[in-house]
């Protein structure tokens, strides 16, 4: 398996591969430059199809499908199934079977609270209040745009919170670093767009906060569903702006609930931002350098004298994320 990147990995395509993984735009670029061929393609997988449409990949998807052999198996995965996805399925699949996977959490395990906000400054202050009040070990804040992600992350950092951002303009290694640090609980707050946070899987996610309501009620459900998993309780807070009336109506209809804004809590006077209980150590080496988890554990316990009980999960990659 090869994941596409610039530089040496392009040359690796000359040796062939059994599985090609890439964004529609990248796959199409390789097709156009003759680096790959679909002559022997027998399985086409469209993963996260709904998100790819949201990102504007419709034309690239159509071109890839047009160049793929008609005699193939097509698999389409999507967290939501809007009309656009149904249309694609009917057009590119033959006698498809629809398989639905039941949710691993119930709505009763998630406490939803909505707050009315008047301005971005009001949002920033309320966000700080909620984080100080609930002291989540892990919290995800969703925004609709990359610019808003950067603004919120910068503001939280300015106010003393342990925060990292995840958005589409980041390079893949930067996104991997952010996800590892958040999953390892060495960063308490992750600010992200829906596309960037796709596939995020963090144990015991305490809080999900919608800094901006999604335009799609299905996405709203998908957002809040990241907390309250495996029988645990979760909190979901959502900010309602002055122009969000239609979004609220869509959520009410889709979830069959009545949204009643709650009174804003008072900011705790003595609380301080949550301090992460872990630190992430990054080592300049990986699988390609024959580094094994046991080697790292041994170095930390024997050479550095750390108690093994204090060492968390060791994530292994092909090479150092800081160097790739």
């Amino acid at each position: 398996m090869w994941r596409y990147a610039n530089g040496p990995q392009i040359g690796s395509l000359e040796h062939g591969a059994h599985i090609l993984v890439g964004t529609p735009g990248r796959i199409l670029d390789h097709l156009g430059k003759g680096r790959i061929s679909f002559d022997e393609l027998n399985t086409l997988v469209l993963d996260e199809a709904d998100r790819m449409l949201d990102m504007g990949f419709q034309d690239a998807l159509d071109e890839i499908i047009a160049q793929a052999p008609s005699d193939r198996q097509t698999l389409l995965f999507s967290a939501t199934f809007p009309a656009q996805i149904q249309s694609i399925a009917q057009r590119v699949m033959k006698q498809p079977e629809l398989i639905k996977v039941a949710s691993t959490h119930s709505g009763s395990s998630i406490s939803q609270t909505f707050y009315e906000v008047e301005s971005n400054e009001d949002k920033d202050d309320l966000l700080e209040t909620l984080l100080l009040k609930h002291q989540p070990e892990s919290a995800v804040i969703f925004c609709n745009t990359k610019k808003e992600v950067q603004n919120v992350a910068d503001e939280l950092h300015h106010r003393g919170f342990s925060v990292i951002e995840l958005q589409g303009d980041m390079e893949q290694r930067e996104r991997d670093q952010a996800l590892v640090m958040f999953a390892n609980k060495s960063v308490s707050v992750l600010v992200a767009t829906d596309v960037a946070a796709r596939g995020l899987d963090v144990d015991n996610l305490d809080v999900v906060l919608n800094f901006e309501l999604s335009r799609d009620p299905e996405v709203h459900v998908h957002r809040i569903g990241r907390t309250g998993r495996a029988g645990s309780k979760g909190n979901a807070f959502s900010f309602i702006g002055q122009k969000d009336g239609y979004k609220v109506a869509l959520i009410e209809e889709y979830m069959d609930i009545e949204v009643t804004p709650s009174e804003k809590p008072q900011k705790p006077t003595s609380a301080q931002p949550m301090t992460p209980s872990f630190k992430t150590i990054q080592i300049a080496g990986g699988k390609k350098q024959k580094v094994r988890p046991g080697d790292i554990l041994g170095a930390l316990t024997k050479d550095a004298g750390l108690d093994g009980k204090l060492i968390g999960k060791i994530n292994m990659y092909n090479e150092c994320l800081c160097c790739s």
Side-chain angles (χ1 to χ4, degrees), residues 172-314:
Q172 187 60 47
R173 63 178 179 82
E174 295 175 318
R175 295 174 63 179
D176 288 342
Q177 286 175 330
L179 288 171
V180 167
M181 292 177 67
F182 185 65
N184 285 347
K185 299 188 184 300
S186 57
V187 174
S188 299
V189 181
L190 176 72
V191 187
T193 58
D194 293 296
V195 173
R198 203 65 167 187
L200 174 66
D201 188 12
V202 176
D203 294 334
N204 301 320
L205 183 58
D206 305 307
V207 167
V208 168
L209 199 146
N210 295 304
F211 193 82
E212 298 174 295
L213 286 179
S214 171
R215 304 172 185 88
D216 185 340
E218 286 188 83
V219 172
H220 177 83
V221 173
H222 191 70
R223 284 179 176 183
I224 68 173
R226 295 176 183 275
T227 186
R229 294 185 172 184
S232 62
K233 296 294 183 179
N235 291 298
F237 304 108
S238 301
F239 294 170
I240 302 173
Q242 296 177 340
K243 299 180 181 180
D244 287 338
Y246 77 97
K247 297 178 184 177
V248 173
L250 290 173
I251 292 172
E252 288 181 321
E253 180 180 2
Y254 186 79
M255 300 190 70
D256 192 22
I257 62 173
E258 181 179 351
V259 173
T260 302
S262 298
E263 183 178 351
K264 299 173 187 175
Q266 294 294 317
K267 180 179 177 180
T269 55
S270 58
Q272 296 296 319
M274 166 67 73
T275 300
S277 54
F278 287 90
K279 292 286 187 180
T280 296
I281 301 173
Q282 187 166 258
I283 298 174
K287 294 179 181 178
K288 287 186 177 181
Q289 288 75 37
K290 309 299 183 182
V291 178
R292 299 170 299 177
D295 299 328
I296 299 173
L297 182 62
L300 293 174
T301 55
K302 295 180 181 179
D303 299 339
L306 295 177
D307 186 342
K309 296 179 181 180
L310 299 177
I311 300 172
K313 183 178 179 180
I314 298 176

Side-chain angles (χ1 to χ4, degrees), residues 134-151:
H134 293 276
Q135 292 287 307
E137 186 178 29
S138 297
V140 174
I141 300 170
F142 282 106
C143 301
N144 292 337
T145 66
K146 293 175 285 189
K147 181 178 180 181
E148 196 64 59
V149 165
Q150 293 172 331
N151 291 340

Side-chain angles (χ1 to χ4, degrees), residues 148-158 163-165 191:
E148 196 64 59
V149 165
Q150 293 172 331
N151 291 340
V152 172
D154 288 346
E155 183 64 28
L156 286 176
H157 179 75
H158 176 72
V163 59
I164 199 164
E165 66 182 65
V191 187

Side-chain angles (χ1 to χ4, degrees), residues 4-5 14 44 57 75 92 99 101 111 119 131 142 144 160 164 200 207-208 217 224 247 253 275 298 315:
Y4 290 134
E14 298 176 358
L44 177 65
F57 285 132
L75 304 176
V92 306
I99 301 174
V101 179
S111 173
S119 63
L131 292 176
F142 282 106
N144 292 337
I164 199 164
L200 174 66
V207 167
V208 168
I224 68 173
K247 297 178 184 177
E253 180 180 2
T275 300
N315 300 89

